[in-house]
């Protein structure tokens, strides 16, 4: 069983702050790592992907991967109320079969 | 460009009834997936198809069957619906490879009474 673990939250941060979301995974064979954002009643949408150790930045979002620690994180800088959503961590094995964590609910307070 | 299209968006069944959820993608992807999402459980893989003509079980396949009709279409069938199958179902597709990404349909809210 491939396990992807996330803190369910909710994580509450004030507007303008940095939100830090964390994810751990059980299988060292994991190859690709993703963060999806899901608004209530909507389907998940991809916001970040990361494939090698280190940081990857895209606008206000930074994904961090540490394969030795089996840990991937997402930082959201200058958080906005529109960032309030559930964030899903996903990992893949053998370049298919995406496995998801249960998600972390983020609330950004104005 | 429609992406991944699922039908129906909502469905109510009685216990024991059968139904098929339809999914089609227009991105020429080889891989297609069916997930279910329950509160607090995240997305769990039911079945996936790595390519046309192949299907494989995921984490929670019991009570479901699938058909990869062609490269575009991947259907999910509930032969005898049970209340435990009340959930939101998502179809998704991807193109296998190093930069593989998963694209989702809009979901089907299924209630089994």
């Amino acid at each position: 069983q491939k396990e992807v673990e996330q803190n369910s939250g909710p994580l509450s941060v004030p507007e303008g702050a940095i939100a830090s979301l964390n994810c751990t995974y059980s299988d060292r064979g994991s190859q690709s790592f993703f963060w999806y954002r899901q608004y209530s009643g909507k389907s998940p949408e991809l916001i970040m992907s990361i494939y090698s150790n280190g940081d990857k930045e895209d606008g206000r979002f930074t994904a961090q991967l540490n394969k030795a620690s089996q840990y991937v994180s997402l930082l959201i800088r200058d958080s906005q109320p529109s960032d309030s959503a559930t964030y899903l961590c996903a990992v893949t094995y053998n370049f298919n079969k995406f496995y998801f964590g249960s998600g972390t609910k983020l609330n950004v307070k104005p | 460009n429609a992406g991944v299209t699922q039908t129906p968006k909502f469905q109510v069944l009685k216990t024991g009834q059968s139904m098929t959820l339809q999914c089609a993608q227009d991105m020429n992807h080889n891989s297609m997936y069916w997930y279910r999402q329950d509160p607090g459980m995240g997305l769990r893989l039911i079945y996936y198809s790595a390519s046309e003509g192949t299907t494989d079980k995921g984490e929670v396949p019991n009570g479901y069957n699938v058909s990869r009709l062609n490269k575009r279409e991947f259907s999910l069938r509930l032969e005898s619906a049970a209340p435990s199958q009340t959930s939101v179902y998502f179809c998704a597709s991807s193109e296998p490879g190093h930069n593989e990404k998963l694209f989702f349909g809009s979901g089907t809210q299924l209630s089994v009474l």
Side-chain angles (χ1 to χ4, degrees):
Chain A
Q1 182 76 14
K2 313 297 185 185
E3 293 187 354
V4 181
E5 300 287 341
Q6 295 181 255
N7 188 321
S8 61
L11 173 66
S12 293
V13 300
E15 184 175 356
I18 296 175
S20 178
L21 304 163
N22 303 314
C23 172
T24 59
Y25 57 95
S26 62
D27 194 319
R28 290 189 176 274
S30 303
Q31 293 163 313
S32 304
F33 307 85
F34 305 86
W35 284 98
Y36 283 80
R37 177 175 63 199
Q38 187 176 27
Y39 294 112
S40 182
K42 302 296 185 182
S43 57
E45 57 177 327
L46 179 68
I47 54 171
M48 289 289 290
S49 58
I50 187 166
Y51 306 100
S52 56
N53 280 329
D55 295 359
K56 179 181 178 182
E57 186 174 320
D58 184 0
R60 296 186 295 113
F61 298 97
T62 299
Q64 299 174 316
L65 175 61
N66 184 326
K67 289 188 176 182
S69 300
Q70 295 174 240
Y71 173 91
V72 58
S73 66
L74 179 69
L75 300 177
I76 306 175
R77 291 181 299 280
D78 188 24
S79 295
Q80 301 297 309
S82 59
D83 294 325
S84 297
T86 296
Y87 289 80
L88 301 167
C89 174
V91 303
T92 63
Y93 303 87
N94 298 320
F95 299 116
N96 57 25
K97 273 191 171 180
F98 289 69
Y99 289 88
F100 286 81
S102 57
T104 298
K105 187 172 184 178
L106 173 65
N107 291 328
V108 180
K109 298 182 177 180
Chain B
N1 190 347
V4 181
T5 303
Q6 285 182 240
T7 56
K9 293 191 182 300
F10 301 94
Q11 183 72 49
V12 178
L13 295 177
K14 295 181 180 179
T15 297
Q17 287 185 316
S18 62
M19 77 160 296
T20 300
L21 281 65
Q22 305 287 352
C23 176
Q25 52 92 9
D26 63 3
M27 295 176 282
N28 203 36
H29 287 166
N30 279 294
S31 297
M32 298 187 73
Y33 308 78
W34 278 104
Y35 287 88
R36 61 177 287 175
Q37 187 174 35
D38 303 298
M41 299 290 290
L43 288 156
R44 291 184 291 170
L45 182 63
I46 305 171
Y47 270 93
Y48 79 104
S49 171
S51 62
E52 183 179 353
T54 67
T55 61
D56 205 350
K57 296 178 180 179
E59 302 167 271
V60 287
N62 291 342
Y64 305 95
N65 287 301
V66 290
S67 295
R68 183 74 182 267
L69 304 171
N70 47 55
K71 191 172 185 179
R72 290 187 65 247
E73 298 174 288
F74 188 38
S75 63
L76 178 72
R77 182 161 178 83
L78 286 70
E79 290 291 352
S80 179
S84 61
Q85 294 177 304
T86 293
S87 188
V88 179
Y89 291 84
F90 288 102
C91 178
S93 71
S94 70
E95 185 56 34
H98 183 65
N99 293 323
E100 183 174 14
K101 297 177 177 62
L102 197 63
F103 296 89
F104 285 89
S106 58
T108 297
Q109 173 70 61
L110 175 67
S111 296
V112 183
L113 306 177

